[in-house]
Amino acid sequence: MCHVLVIEDEWLLAEYISDIAERAGAISIDTAMTEAEAIEAAEGHKPDIILSDVVLAKGEGPQAVQTIFARCGEVPVIFITGTPADCHPCNPPGVVMGKPIDERRMIAAFREMMAA
């Protein structure tokens, strides 16, 4: 079973990322639009992988991930951002991908992380 947390403040992109995650093998998915929602969702159901934007309307994806790690333990992360240079502290432990999303690359990274 693979539970995914998608952290993305644009609902259409969140749906698109969720669809890609399902095609890559996700069984269940929670979505969060803010840093606080992401932390709450992870505490309610620890994800096996996180797919996170960097800049959110309320908060930051990397900060949400750091808080989730501190409270729930580390999990693989793929950061998906239009501004890869602003991704701090994104690396490590995650992979940083730019927007527009390269579906094949994202699916390959997702499956590689789940196999590890």
Side-chain angles (χ1 to χ4, degrees):
M1 177 155 163
C2 178
H3 177 66
V4 176
L5 173 58
V6 174
I7 307 170
E8 172 60 61
D9 60 351
E10 294 182 37
W11 71 268
L12 192 56
L13 272 175
E15 290 296 318
Y16 179 52
I17 292 167
S18 295
D19 179 65
I20 294 170
E22 285 179 354
R23 288 186 277 133
I27 302 299
S28 61
I29 300 171
D30 283 332
T31 58
M33 296 182 74
T34 68
E35 185 176 323
E37 287 176 5
I39 294 164
E40 183 179 335
E43 289 177 330
H45 187 177
K46 182 181 176 186
D48 297 305
I49 187 168
I50 298 172
L51 308 176
S52 179
D53 192 1
V54 174
V55 179
L56 305 171
K58 291 186 181 180
E60 296 181 358
Q63 185 58 48
V65 168
Q66 292 300 315
T67 302
I68 291 166
F69 284 2
R71 295 183 185 178
C72 304
E74 292 190 16
V75 298
V77 180
I78 298 175
F79 289 100
I80 305 161
T81 180
T83 56
D86 293 339
C87 195
H88 299 286
C90 293
N91 213 359
V95 171
V96 179
M97 295 189 172
K99 291 178 183 173
I101 297 168
D102 180 335
E103 288 184 37
R104 282 187 236 146
R105 185 170 170 241
M106 187 173 145
I107 289 171
F110 183 101
R111 289 181 176 161
E112 184 177 317
M113 288 179 157
M114 288 296 83

